[in-house]
Amino acid sequence: MGKFFTLADYDEIANRIRERVNIEPHVGLILGSGLGQLADSIENAIKIPYHKIPHWPVSTVVGHQGRLVFGQLEGQNVMVMQGRAHYYEGYSMAEVGLPVRVMQRLGVETLIVTNAAGSVNPNFSPGDLMLITDHLNLIGMTGRTPLRGPNLDELGPRFPDMGRVYDRELGALARKVATENQIQLQEGVYICLAGPAFETPADLRFLRAIGADAVGMSTVPEVTVARHGGTRVLGISGISNKANLDGDTLTTHEEVLEAGQIIVPKLAALIRGVLRNF
Ligand code: HPA
């Protein structure tokens, strides 16, 4: 059997964090590629670099700062991941899911997860925000899931329901905040692939045919752990590039990070509005 974490492992990590942090976070926030800036406005911030936390997967990708930030945002106690680890970096799915487990052990009840994604829906443009209404777990369908291995019954059931992954109330709140702040909010289905190579035009036509609106290389594993443990989820994609359906354009990581600069202010306004109205 591969390496799976035990409840004692998660609690050891949570206790190490508690030695340095004196607040109980209720909201977890994962900031994806090029979206980390929001963490810089956390009040009373306590920052812990990932490499100082046992077992914590350290992000190796440009655009991921790699630290936890605890503090307040719009009056809520938050725990922010400024950067995340991906399966393509070489981590196991158990490692990719570990941060959300630790969040749950620390008291997080709501997870706000963000990512950079390519648009598969032709009506989306780079710079758009997309409320994730559901996901296609293509990577999980092939066996790559953080729930593989012994089930930790204390945390959640062996066969968790995935009928309502993205919380409807939180989604409604995000729509309301977007309208009030004149932020255009697209909606759709996110699909997670392993990456790190971007998709071929044929891949993208396939993804469109099976019902995806945006494609990325993260989020679904973390959200699966969140739902297994009963954590409420709000997911937002920042559309960083148009899918290259005809093969005429190229997709680069630089493009993804540049789009982040346009997305961050809108994303920050949206997340702040949601937290204020919790
Ligand atoms: N494909 C997959 N992942 C991505 C993309 C993309 O086009 N853009 C940002 N992350």
Side-chain angles (χ1 to χ4, degrees):
M1 257 204 231
K3 162 77 180 143
F4 300 111
F5 297 105
T6 62
L7 199 57
D9 291 328
Y10 296 131
D11 282 338
E12 181 205 335
I13 303 168
N15 287 334
R16 289 283 279 274
I17 291 173
R18 281 196 195 99
E19 285 166 13
R20 304 176 63 152
V21 178
N22 53 5
I23 60 159
E24 180 171 317
H26 296 297
V27 180
L29 203 54
I30 303 179
L31 300 176
S33 294
L35 307 176
Q37 255 163 272
L38 182 55
D40 297 333
S41 55
I42 304 288
E43 293 149 42
N44 307 313
I46 300 168
K47 299 173 184 163
I48 310 179
Y50 292 160
H51 68 260
K52 297 242 163 111
I53 310 171
H55 305 297
W56 200 278
V58 176
S59 33
T60 62
V61 187
V62 176
H64 288 258
Q65 286 90 339
R67 62 185 177 202
L68 278 178
V69 185
F70 292 82
Q72 281 87 37
L73 195 59
E74 299 295 338
Q76 302 288 338
N77 283 350
V78 296
M79 166 175 181
V80 185
M81 284 176 65
Q82 214 173 8
R84 61 147 67 82
H86 307 78
Y87 183 70
Y88 64 74
E89 293 173 70
Y91 293 108
S92 68
M93 277 300 183
E95 290 172 301
V96 173
L98 176 139
V100 175
R101 281 288 181 233
V102 174
M103 284 183 180
Q104 289 167 333
R105 300 312 281 167
L106 287 171
V108 165
E109 289 158 354
T110 304
L111 176 68
I112 302 179
V113 58
T114 70
N115 56 55
S119 65
V120 183
N121 185 323
N123 300 323
F124 296 175
S125 303
D128 280 355
L129 295 180
M130 183 189 89
L131 175 69
I132 306 177
T133 52
D134 203 351
H135 69 224
L136 272 158
N137 189 2
L138 197 63
I139 192 170
M141 289 177 201
T142 57
R144 290 163 185 84
T145 167
L147 302 185
R148 184 170 174 268
N151 186 56
L152 299 175
D153 296 331
E154 299 90 338
L155 299 177
R158 171 78 286 186
F159 302 107
D161 179 70
M162 289 284 147
R164 270 189 210 176
V165 173
Y166 298 89
D167 189 88
R168 291 184 185 175
E169 275 179 35
L170 290 175
L173 180 54
R175 283 187 201 101
K176 178 171 162 277
V177 170
T179 306
E180 283 169 4
N181 291 274
Q182 284 153 10
I183 298 167
Q184 194 192 5
L185 186 60
Q186 308 278 15
E187 298 194 9
V189 174
Y190 175 88
I191 188 163
C192 175
L193 309 187
F198 290 116
E199 300 71 37
T200 65
D203 286 333
L204 290 161
R205 288 193 294 274
F206 166 70
L207 301 184
R208 186 75 193 128
I210 63 173
D213 294 293
V215 55
M217 306 169 190
S218 69
T219 300
V220 171
E222 293 127 316
V223 160
T224 302
V225 171
R227 291 308 301 144
H228 175 260
T231 307
R232 297 199 302 165
V233 176
L234 173 68
I236 311 279
S237 289
I239 302 298
S240 55
N241 55 285
K242 256 200 180 319
N244 183 15
L245 281 158
D246 49 17
D248 288 346
T249 52
L250 299 178
T251 303
T252 64
H253 187 56
E254 288 66 36
E255 185 184 6
V256 173
L257 297 183
E258 265 169 46
Q261 294 305 309
I262 300 164
I263 292 164
V264 159
K266 293 197 281 185
L267 186 67
L270 186 64
I271 291 176
R272 280 178 176 280
V274 168
L275 290 176
R276 212 178 301 130
N277 289 280
F278 245 27

